[in-house]
């Protein structure tokens, strides 16, 4: 019998003997169950990111299922102790690209507003400087408006905003997940946030 | 080109909120915010907006999705 080297979950093992082979299989099964449990514990968070990346609840649900199907299939390639949430979201964002969702919304290039204070300035000129310090004013840029505005911005900007501002990932994690340089994360984030505020200004501040 | 202090503060604002500025830049922004009502209000606004953007995503998984995911357990590329 050929010795096999198993990599990934658990240490590498070289083991030709049947008795030990059975133990190895048992150990592997246990690792795998742990892996699955850990992954499923993150499902809510994974769904939250998916929900903001794609247009509808149904698409988000599909995307999460595909993500878990792929994750479970390739559980051996996950290195225990590393960031599983980032690992899962990397699968998810890749699938999202594969499925061509990037082009679905055919977003046009939006001219970018000149200022980061753009929305704040709009609010201030509509409701006064003091309005900027009132939570209710931002609250009135209601949940729905933010969701719509987010859905409206270009996908490569949306991805980064969703990961960093909603998923709480660091720039470095987002860079790893999306497989782009950190500088690109930062510039897309910057532009994405501006685009988001611009959409909000258009939608909510007459 | 030198930016006026408020333009400079605006430029630093997002990273100030992200807490990714260098110490020197952080102090620069903080000092300016302490003395400028215009920028402080905008800082407050941006901070609140961030919170609401995060809240906008608070949505539970649809009922039934978890059991669909549970059913996927045991899939294996090597099987």
């Amino acid at each position: 019998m050929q010795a096999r080297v198993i990599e990934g979950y658990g240490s590498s093992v070289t083991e030709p003997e049947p008795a030990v082979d059975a133990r190895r299989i048992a150990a592997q099964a246990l690792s795998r169950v742990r892996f699955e449990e850990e992954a499923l514990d993150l499902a809510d968070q994974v769904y939250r990111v998916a929900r903001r990346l794609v247009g509808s609840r149904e698409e988000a649900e599909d995307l999460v299922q595909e993500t878990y199907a792929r994750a479970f299939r390739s559980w051996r390639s996950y290195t225990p102790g590393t960031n599983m949430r980032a690992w899962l979201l990397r699968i998810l964002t890749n699938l999202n690209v594969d499925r061509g969702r990037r082009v679905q919304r055919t977003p046009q290039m939006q001219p970018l507003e000149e200022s980061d204070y753009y929305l704040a300035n709009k609010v201030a000129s509509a409701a006064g400087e003091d309005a900027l310090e009132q939570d209710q004013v931002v609250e009135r840029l209601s949940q729905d408006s933010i969701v719509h505005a987010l859905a409206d911005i270009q996908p490569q900007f949306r991805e980064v905003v969703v990961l960093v501002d909603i998923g709480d990932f660091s720039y470095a994690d987002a860079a790893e997940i999306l497989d782009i340089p950190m500088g690109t994360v930062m510039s897309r984030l910057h532009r994405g946030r501006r685009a988001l505020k611009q959409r909000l200004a258009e939608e909510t501040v007459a | 080109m030198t930016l006026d202090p408020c333009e400079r503060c605006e430029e630093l604002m997002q990273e100030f909120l992200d807490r990714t500025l260098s110490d020197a830049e952080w102090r620069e922004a903080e000092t300016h915010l302490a003395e400028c009502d215009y920028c402080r209000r905008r800082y407050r606004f941006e901070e609140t907006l961030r919170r609401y953007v995060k809240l906008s995503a608070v949505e539970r998984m649809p009922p039934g999705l978890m059991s669909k995911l549970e059913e996927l357990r045991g899939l294996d590329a090597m099987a």
Side-chain angles (χ1 to χ4, degrees), chain A residues 32-33 36-37 40 43-44 47-48 51-52 57 61 65 68-69 72-73 75-76 115-117 119-121 124 129-130 132-133 135 138-139 146-147 165-166 168 171 193 197, chain B residues 6 9-10 13-15 18 20 38-39 41-42 44-46 48-62 65-66 68-70 72-78:
Chain A
R32 178 191 181 140
V33 167
E36 288 173 346
E37 301 283 346
L40 288 170
D44 250 321
Y47 176 76
R48 203 173 303 156
R51 183 65 190 92
R52 291 296 158 248
R57 200 165 282 146
E61 219 176 316
Q65 287 186 69
Y68 274 85
F72 289 161
R73 257 186 233 112
W75 68 284
R76 286 180 181 82
S115 141
D116 204 44
Y117 285 166
L119 178 59
N121 290 339
E129 278 285 314
D130 290 345
L132 294 176
E133 298 196 86
D135 282 11
V138 187
E139 203 172 340
I146 291 175
V147 168
D165 285 347
I166 291 177
D168 263 335
Y171 298 169
R193 285 170 175 163
K197 285 187 275 188
Chain B
C6 294
C9 188
E10 178 174 358
M13 182 67 74
Q14 295 302 319
E15 285 208 64
D18 286 341
T20 53
Y38 176 87
C39 285
R41 287 197 191 96
R42 279 152 186 78
R44 281 264 299 148
F45 177 83
E46 294 291 327
T48 311
L49 182 64
R50 289 263 187 113
R51 217 165 53 234
Y52 278 93
V53 168
K54 192 161 291 170
L55 281 178
S56 77
V58 176
E59 185 176 311
R60 306 285 304 171
M61 280 197 297
L65 178 55
M66 194 55 163
K68 287 181 194 160
L69 298 181
E70 291 273 1
L72 297 172
R73 291 178 72 158
L75 281 179
D76 198 328
M78 283 176 68

Side-chain angles (χ1 to χ4, degrees), chain B residues 4-17:
Chain B
D4 85 36
C6 294
E7 283 172 345
R8 173 68 178 150
C9 188
E10 178 174 358
E11 193 182 76
L12 296 175
M13 182 67 74
Q14 295 302 319
E15 285 208 64
F16 184 75
L17 288 159

Side-chain angles (χ1 to χ4, degrees), chain A residues 18 25 36 78 93 100 138 164-165 202 205:
Chain A
I25 287 166
E36 288 173 346
Y78 171 72
T93 51
V138 187
V164 176
D165 285 347
E202 285 162 7
V205 188

Side-chain angles (χ1 to χ4, degrees), chain A residues 5-134:
Chain A
V5 178
I6 309 294
E7 292 186 2
Y9 226 104
S11 53
S12 299
V13 183
T14 308
E15 194 44 75
E17 292 193 28
V20 188
D21 209 45
R23 272 213 298 279
R24 180 182 58 73
I25 287 166
Q28 220 186 48
L30 184 64
S31 302
R32 178 191 181 140
V33 167
R34 283 202 200 110
F35 164 86
E36 288 173 346
E37 301 283 346
E38 198 185 330
L40 288 170
D41 280 346
L42 295 167
D44 250 321
Q45 297 178 51
V46 172
Y47 176 76
R48 203 173 303 156
V49 170
R51 183 65 190 92
R52 291 296 158 248
L53 280 180
V54 301
S56 70
R57 200 165 282 146
E58 291 71 30
E59 280 177 285
E61 219 176 316
D62 286 350
L63 185 57
V64 171
Q65 287 186 69
E66 283 175 48
T67 299
Y68 274 85
R70 184 173 290 186
F72 289 161
R73 257 186 233 112
S74 42
W75 68 284
R76 286 180 181 82
S77 67
Y78 171 72
T79 312
T82 59
N83 185 342
M84 187 182 283
R85 199 165 69 108
W87 187 80
L88 288 169
L89 286 176
R90 183 166 191 165
I91 295 177
L92 183 139
T93 51
N94 281 335
L95 283 169
N96 190 36
V97 174
D98 291 349
R99 291 181 53 153
R101 289 199 170 100
R102 270 173 187 282
V103 292
Q104 252 181 21
R105 280 174 181 273
T106 58
Q108 63 283 53
M109 279 302 287
Q110 297 143 355
L112 219 56
E113 83 303 334
E114 65 297 333
S115 141
D116 204 44
Y117 285 166
Y118 179 78
L119 178 59
N121 290 339
K122 280 267 201 185
V123 169
S125 61
E129 278 285 314
D130 290 345
L132 294 176
E133 298 196 86
Q134 295 161 6

